[in-house]
Amino acid sequence: MTSIRSIKGTQDILPDQSHRWQALEAAIRNTMGRYGYEEIRTPAFERTELFARGVGEETDIVSKEMYSWTDQGGEDLTLKPELTAPVARAYIQHNMGGQSPTNKLYYIDALFRRERPQKGRYRQFHQFGVEAFGSEHPEIDAEVIALAMAVFNGVGLSGLSLKLNSIGSPQCRGDYRDALRDFLTPHLNNLSETSQNRFEKNPLRMLDTKAPHEIEILKDAPNISDCWTQDDKDHFDEVCSLLDAMGISYDLAPNLVRGLDYYTRTTFEITSTALGAQDAICGGGRYDGLVETLGGKSTPGIGFAAGMERILLAMGDDTSTGHEPHIYIVGLGDTVRPTVLQLAESLRQNGLAVAFDVLRRSMKAQMREANKAGAKYAIIMGDQELESGQAEVKDLSTGDQQKVALDDLSSHMNSLSF
Ligand code: HAM
C-alpha cells in the first residue's frame, strides 16, 4: 500500500526542530511580558465575511489564497489567513474597548494561505504578532516597532532592515489613487496583465510590482507623501523622531503600501539579508478604520505580524538538540532494573533530565547512546555495583570516574553542576 503524505506547503515539526520553536516562543513571550502585551487566542476558522470585509475583497489573500468552504449548515467559513481581522472581531465582540481604553494583545498561531510553496513560503505557516487598540498617537507606533526589533535582536537576528512609510488617511489614499491612475494612464499598454487589473481595482498595489520595466516607469510616479494631510505628515514625523530617540534605524520606503486594505498612516516591513526571495520577516501598520469597518466603535489600532518559519531560517541551525539529558543511567542485568527506574524517578523529581536504556543493550551500546544523547554524566550500575552498594559515576566530558554509595547517589548527583 502507498503511504499517505502531508499536504504540499505544510510541514511536520519534528523533535530535531521543535526545541528551536520552543526557544523562539519562549523569547517572544518573555519580550511580550516586558512590553506589557497579553496573549489572545482565536479560533482556527471564522466566517468568510470577516476577511472579505476586514482584509478587502480585492487583496491577493481574499481573492486568491483563502481556504474557504461552505459547511453542512450552509455557512461560508475560512481557515484564518491572518490574525488582525480575527483579533479585531474578538475585541469588538467582547467589548474589550469598553473595559479598558487601551488593549495591547499578542498572539502566536498557525495561518493558512494557498500560495505557491517555496523556501520561506508555506500554505500553513506560523506568525507571532501584536495588535494594540485604543491610541491614535505616534508613541504606540514607535513602541510596536521597537517591540518587533526587540524580539528579533533578542534571538540574535542580524542583517535586518526596517522600511517605513505612511500611506496617510483614507482621504489621502483616495487622492493618491487618482494621481497614480492619471500618471499611469499613458503607460497602460506597457503594463502587465496583473498591473492592468490592479490599475482598475487597487492601483496602490501596482507599487508592489517586481517587473523591471514597470519599476522603471514608476520611478517618476507621484509619491503618496504628496497627498498626505498636515496631520498625516505630523504623525509620521513624530513616529520617525521617536524611533530616532530610541536609536532604531530605518529606511524611508515611499512605495511600501502593503497588501492588505485595512492600513492607514504608518506601514512598515522588516527584511533580512539572511533570507532569499521571501525576505520579509515582518509586516505591519496602523489600521484606524478596521474596528469600525467590522461593526465596532471607531477605534484606532496598530500591529504587526512576523513569520516564524522565516525567523528560524534566518537564525540558522544550531547543533544542540536542546533536550540533552543531564544523566544517562547505564543499567546492566535484570536485578538492577528496579533500582535504575527508582533512581531515575527520584532524580527527575529533583529537576534533572535523566535517560536510561529500554532496549536491554550491552554496556558498550549503552555508553555509546549516553554520549550520542549528549548526557553530561553516566551512572553505571550492574549486579556487582548493586552488591557492593556503590555505583560508578562517570563525567562524560572529562572521562573522570568515581564510586558513589547508592544511598548517597541522589544527593551526590543533585550537588553536581550541569
Ligand atoms: P503579512 O505581511 O501578510 O501581514 O504577513 C506578515 C508576515 O507573515 C510576513 O512578513 C511573513 O514573514 C509571514 N508570512 C506571510 N505569508 C507567509 C507564508 N505563506 N509562508 C510563510 N510566512 C508567511 C499580516 O498578516 C498582517 N496581519 C500583519 C499585521 C498585523 N498588520 C497589522 N497587524
Side-chain angles (χ1 to χ4, degrees), residues 22-173:
Q22 288 170 7
L24 174 58
E25 287 161 14
I28 292 164
R29 292 184 196 285
N30 178 298
T31 309
M32 293 299 168
R34 282 184 288 127
Y35 282 73
Y37 283 68
E38 291 179 302
E39 187 180 17
I40 181 164
R41 301 185 190 198
T42 66
F45 57 103
E46 297 270 359
R47 286 178 210 288
T48 301
E49 188 196 350
L50 172 66
F51 303 108
R53 245 211 273 171
V55 178
E57 299 266 19
E58 301 303 337
T59 59
D60 284 353
I61 294 178
V62 174
S63 65
K64 302 199 279 224
E65 297 169 359
M66 296 203 302
Y67 285 98
S68 302
W69 72 101
T70 307
D71 82 351
Q72 292 84 340
E75 288 200 273
D76 289 327
L77 304 174
T78 292
L79 284 181
K80 54 186 169 185
E82 66 99 53
L83 268 155
T84 311
V87 171
R89 193 243 341 115
Y91 171 87
I92 298 164
Q93 185 172 335
H94 303 286
N95 187 27
M96 294 174 78
Q99 287 154 39
S100 168
T102 60
N103 280 270
K104 304 204 297 184
L105 306 169
Y106 86 89
Y107 47 80
I108 299 177
D109 209 344
L111 290 311
F112 307 87
R113 294 184 193 174
R114 199 173 188 292
E115 295 196 78
R116 199 166 43 77
Q118 65 179 83
K119 193 170 184 192
R121 189 164 68 194
Y122 310 98
R123 290 181 171 176
Q124 175 172 343
F125 61 99
H126 298 79
Q127 287 182 343
F128 82 88
V130 305
E131 311 297 348
F133 295 95
S135 169
E136 61 179 337
H137 298 300
E139 42 273 41
I140 191 77
D141 304 42
E143 181 188 66
V144 159
I145 294 171
L147 164 53
M149 293 308 284
V151 172
F152 301 143
N153 291 331
V155 297
L157 288 192
S158 54
L160 297 181
S161 84
L162 165 62
K163 302 189 170 67
L164 189 66
N165 192 23
S166 167
I167 57 169
S169 49
Q171 158 75 35
C172 153
R173 271 226 308 287

Side-chain angles (χ1 to χ4, degrees), residues 329 336-348 356 410:
I329 308 177
V336 296
R337 209 163 295 128
T339 316
V340 168
L341 267 80
Q342 189 194 18
L343 177 64
E345 208 51 20
S346 115
L347 292 169
R348 286 168 173 168
F356 56 83
S410 218

Side-chain angles (χ1 to χ4, degrees), residues 121-265:
R121 189 164 68 194
Y122 310 98
R123 290 181 171 176
Q124 175 172 343
F125 61 99
H126 298 79
Q127 287 182 343
F128 82 88
V130 305
E131 311 297 348
F133 295 95
S135 169
E136 61 179 337
H137 298 300
E139 42 273 41
I140 191 77
D141 304 42
E143 181 188 66
V144 159
I145 294 171
L147 164 53
M149 293 308 284
V151 172
F152 301 143
N153 291 331
V155 297
L157 288 192
S158 54
L160 297 181
S161 84
L162 165 62
K163 302 189 170 67
L164 189 66
N165 192 23
S166 167
I167 57 169
S169 49
Q171 158 75 35
C172 153
R173 271 226 308 287
D175 292 350
Y176 183 59
R177 214 171 281 142
D178 294 343
L180 206 54
R181 281 207 182 104
D182 286 349
F183 170 81
L184 284 166
T185 303
H187 301 281
L188 216 47
N189 289 336
N190 295 325
L191 302 181
S192 65
E193 206 183 310
T194 315
S195 288
Q196 293 194 5
N197 271 332
R198 286 180 173 166
F199 179 88
E200 291 300 327
K201 294 181 175 157
N202 199 350
L204 263 66
R205 290 298 316 285
M206 297 173 76
L207 301 176
D208 284 344
T209 180
K210 303 276 183 299
H213 77 282
E214 294 185 355
I215 293 174
E216 196 54 41
I217 294 173
L218 284 164
K219 269 195 182 139
D220 299 322
N223 274 332
I224 199 156
S225 55
D226 302 337
C227 301
W228 286 348
T229 62
Q230 189 58 45
D231 283 350
D232 293 336
K233 185 178 179 336
D234 292 346
H235 184 97
F236 190 65
D237 288 347
E238 196 169 351
V239 173
C240 291
S241 60
L242 292 172
L243 291 175
D244 293 338
M246 287 190 287
I248 295 174
S249 47
Y250 53 87
D251 298 318
L252 297 179
N255 282 356
L256 180 68
V257 290
R258 309 257 314 126
L260 302 93
D261 278 356
Y262 44 62
Y263 291 116
T264 52
R265 294 198 167 156

